[in-house]
Amino acid sequence: MAKQDPQGFLNQFGGKTIIDEIQYVPELLSYIQEIVDKSGIPGHFILTGSQSLMMLENVTQSLAGRTTILKLLPFSLEELKNGPYVKEDSDYNHWIYKGFYPGIFDKDIDPGDFYPAYFETYIQRDVRQIQNIRDLDLFTNFVRLLAGRTGQILDYTSLSNDTGVSVNTIKGWLSVLKASHLIFQIQPYFKNLNKRIIRSPKIYFTDPGLVSFLLNIRSAEQVNTHYLKGGLFENLIIIEILKNRYNQGRVPNLYFYRDNNKNEIDLIIEGDEKLEIVEIKSGQTFSPNLMKSLLFWDKNFGKIKSGKHLIYGGSMNQKYQNINIKSWREINSLLD
């Protein structure tokens, strides 16, 4: 009915209306435009869709100047703490393995059952509709190789060599993953920095449980001994911060720093008045050695107004000189 009689379809609804998977019937958008122009009611329609690229192209063309765009990633730790699904405290290995997709909690599905089905569905539906990828096995292998580079500088040539496809194909596939919000890239921070800086982005997956599946991790205990444990923990923290900003309708403004001498800052959050400099370490025992990068920042860029933070795998919160030591459990307090 929505396709054949869009006016009649929309006239069924007298008040505020939610339409899910709007990208399948873009014909509705021009009629929605007429209705919202007449009503002037904020939030008259909430339009949602799982294939964000197709949805956004249609919405921004038809409803320019009439929309607010919100990006909803899987649950955040803060949401789960305040919701009905989590009844006991868990360590970060548990969250890295389990992930945060609502279906896992709402339907109490084991991650070992959820992610294979989710990923196959994603490949068969979203990927094929966004881009015509002929060899799905090759694309799947590419995604698994990318999971092994979580938290690392993106190297197109290395991925091309390991996957056996061209650099342009790699870039096209990355755009598919970004459009469907499976990955998130952090760009290097350039402003006011006078060092020779690496200019390639770093790559993260928007759900740590999906990364664990792609890396063939089958339990939380396996996370604890995995060779990528540090990168997986960093992925968890950075994506939690990204969710915090998306859930507030804010621009991410997340960056990193790395120069040619391999001096690195895991995360730089650009605020209105200052920068928040964040080092991320999975170790559960605090040691001044964990702050090497923050001390480098102080020495080289101390004149830039900034707050300095260490997020680590332990449970204590404390102050060390001018650095805030934060437990991973207190991520959101970093942004208060």
Side-chain angles (χ1 to χ4, degrees), residues 73-84 243 247 332:
L73 298 181
F75 281 142
S76 68
L77 275 170
E78 192 70 12
E79 286 176 300
L80 288 173
K81 285 178 186 177
N82 294 295
K243 291 174 192 173
N247 291 349
N332 281 285

Side-chain angles (χ1 to χ4, degrees), residues 206-226:
T206 52
D207 188 76
L210 179 59
V211 186
S212 294
F213 159 70
L214 293 168
L215 292 173
N216 293 315
I217 294 172
R218 296 294 176 257
S219 69
E221 292 73 24
Q222 193 178 344
V223 173
N224 196 43
T225 57
H226 199 274

